[in-house]
């Protein structure tokens, strides 16, 4: 149960065990049922709130995309309400940040990170965190911590509409851009949470190897770097995602990609009883190290070291 909760997959485990004819002990069965009920209820609330937010943004003429969360769940999972989503992720144009922040305030949200100075905060951070006491919103003006990763993916990218329970339709990234983004998002935390790689596996479900090859090549053009190779090695191993023999050999022969996959496996399985990596002493060291490998070249590594150093200084309450 500790493992399920750390990886936030209780709903899928609850639904999957009967198909495997696995009957958990009564205590664990009760926890799974209770957690799944809470997940479904939370998702229904998030869908309703997403519709309210979308209507408000459209009414104010502010372009917005929904990334991850229920938009992703509705696109890739047969039972989207089983996917645990802790927040609503919105992407807006940096130029419209003041208007978007003001609108969230009108909708009853307050900024938690930062408490003040949202515009200055976004000069160094891709997102700010907002809450109305019931729902949390991550307001994004970018999709990657490092600007060299997926630099062209944003509001001007191709998009698709996702239908959700209750007749709600949300806009999200088109499949090519979504694949590249999910790879970069997972790699940014070394895939320590299983639900992220599960989402990617669901996106690739039933796609032939040739289509996966195409998505990989497209992700390279979009700037996903080695995160896509890392992700494909993981989904192939964990979920049997089809890769062509040529792509599989290319990824296995790529030493940095292979190392990234090894680091991710260790993050997924290590010391789960202690909670989040950030709660463990030096628990995020491997994550920070892996971020240096996501693109080749000393220039990227130097820039990433500077970015991480500035983040640590700002976390200590100082200016960088």
């Amino acid at each position: 149960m500790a493992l399920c909760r750390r990886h936030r997959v209780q709903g899928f485990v609850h639904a999957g065990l009967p198909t495997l004819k696995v009957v958990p002990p009564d205590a664990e069965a009760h926890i799974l049922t209770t957690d799944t009920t809470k997940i479904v209820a939370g998702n229904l609330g998030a869908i309703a709130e997403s519709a309210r937010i979308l209507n408000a943004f459209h009414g104010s003429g502010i372009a917005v995309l929904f990334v991850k969360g229920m938009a992703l769940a509705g696109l890739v999972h047969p039972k989207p309400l089983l996917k645990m989503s802790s927040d609503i992720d919105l992407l807006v144009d940096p130029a419209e940040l003041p208007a978007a922040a003001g609108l969230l305030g009108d909708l009853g949200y307050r900024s938690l990170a930062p408490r003040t100075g949202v515009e200055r905060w976004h000069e160094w951070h891709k997102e700010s965190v907002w809450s109305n006491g019931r729902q949390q919103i991550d307001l994004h003006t970018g999709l990657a911590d490092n600007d060299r990763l997926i630099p062209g993916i944003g509001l001007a990218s191709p998009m698709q509409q996702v239908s959700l329970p209750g007749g709600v339709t949300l806009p999200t990234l088109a499949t090519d851009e979504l694949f590249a983004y999910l790879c970069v998002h997972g790699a940014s935390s070394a895939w320590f949470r299983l639900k992220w790689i599960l989402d990617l596996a669901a996106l690739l479900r039933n796609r032939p190897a040739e289509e996966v090859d195409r998505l990989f090549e497209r992700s390279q053009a979009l700037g996903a770097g080695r995160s896509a190779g890392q992700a494909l090695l993981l989904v192939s191993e964990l979920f049997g995602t089809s890769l062509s023999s040529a792509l599989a050999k290319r990824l296995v022969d790529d030493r940095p990609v292979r190392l990234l996959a090894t680091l991710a496996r260790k993050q997924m399985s290590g010391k789960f009883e202690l909670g989040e990596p950030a709660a463990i002493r030096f628990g995020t060291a491997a994550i920070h190290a892996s971020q240096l490998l996501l693109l080749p070249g000393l220039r990227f590594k130097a820039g990433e070291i500077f970015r991480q150093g500035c983040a640590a200084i700002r976390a200590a309450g100082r200016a960088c």
Side-chain angles (χ1 to χ4, degrees):
M1 284 312 307
L3 188 62
C4 284
R5 282 178 162 171
R6 179 201 154 169
H7 289 291
R8 299 182 181 175
V9 292
Q10 304 98 299
F12 292 121
V13 171
H14 181 263
L17 288 179
T19 67
L20 301 174
K21 296 182 171 55
V22 174
V23 180
D26 290 345
E28 283 71 22
H30 176 73
I31 293 172
L32 281 172
T33 299
T34 301
D35 282 6
T36 300
T37 300
K38 291 179 180 178
I39 289 170
V40 171
N43 285 337
L44 289 171
I47 291 171
E49 183 64 4
S50 295
R52 185 174 81 102
I53 292 168
L54 180 62
N55 289 336
F57 271 75
H58 281 179
S60 298
I62 303 172
V64 64
L65 277 180
F66 289 75
V67 292
K68 299 187 300 174
M70 294 313 300
L72 177 60
L75 182 67
V76 305
H77 290 296
K79 298 179 179 179
L81 294 179
L82 296 179
K83 170 184 161 67
M84 185 174 181
S85 297
S86 58
D87 48 43
I88 299 171
D89 290 88
L90 307 177
L91 175 66
V92 299
D93 190 293
E96 293 192 301
L97 174 61
L103 181 55
L104 288 180
D106 293 341
L107 291 172
Y109 286 86
R110 295 295 177 263
S111 179
L112 300 181
R115 295 287 182 179
T116 59
V118 170
E119 292 180 52
R120 181 169 177 78
W121 173 273
H122 274 262
E123 293 175 3
W124 288 97
H125 299 81
K126 71 179 187 297
E127 63 193 1
S128 51
V129 180
W130 300 70
S131 176
N132 66 355
R134 299 179 304 278
Q135 295 284 349
Q136 177 179 307
I137 288 177
D138 287 354
L139 180 63
H140 294 255
T141 50
L143 292 177
D145 293 314
N146 192 304
D147 292 341
R148 293 180 182 274
L149 290 164
I150 52 173
I153 298 181
L155 283 173
S157 298
M159 66 178 68
Q160 58 188 316
Q161 300 291 329
V162 181
S163 297
L164 290 166
V168 175
T169 301
L170 300 179
T172 193
L173 293 167
T175 299
D176 287 15
E177 288 71 19
L178 182 60
F179 171 77
Y181 165 62
L182 291 178
C183 290
V184 170
H185 172 263
S188 69
S189 297
W191 298 97
F192 76 81
R193 189 159 286 145
L194 186 62
K195 77 164 189 169
W196 297 329
I197 200 70
L198 173 61
D199 287 339
L200 190 68
L203 177 67
L204 299 177
R205 181 194 292 116
N206 297 328
R207 294 181 188 270
E210 294 77 12
E211 172 64 4
V212 177
D213 282 16
R214 189 195 67 78
L215 286 171
F216 173 77
E217 295 299 341
R218 178 63 177 146
S219 76
Q220 300 309 285
L222 290 168
R226 293 169 176 149
S227 69
Q230 176 195 37
L232 289 179
L233 285 181
L234 294 171
V235 294
S236 176
E237 175 186 342
L238 295 172
F239 296 98
T241 299
S242 297
L243 305 181
S244 70
S245 57
L247 179 57
K249 184 178 186 305
R250 174 180 171 184
L251 298 181
V252 170
D253 288 347
D254 190 321
R255 188 169 180 271
V257 169
R258 201 168 65 243
L259 177 57
L260 282 168
T262 298
L263 288 171
R265 290 187 204 99
K266 291 180 179 178
Q267 289 299 310
M268 283 184 194
S269 59
K271 296 185 178 181
F272 63 84
E273 72 279 1
L274 298 178
E276 302 288 321
I280 305 168
R281 189 178 186 185
F282 304 122
T284 60
I287 293 175
H288 293 310
S290 71
Q291 290 170 337
L292 301 178
L293 298 176
L294 295 181
L295 285 177
L298 292 177
R299 187 176 179 183
F300 173 77
K301 291 178 177 60
E304 183 61 17
I305 290 171
F306 177 77
R307 183 193 70 80
Q308 291 184 22
C310 284
I313 292 171
R314 289 194 302 274
R318 301 170 184 167
C320 183

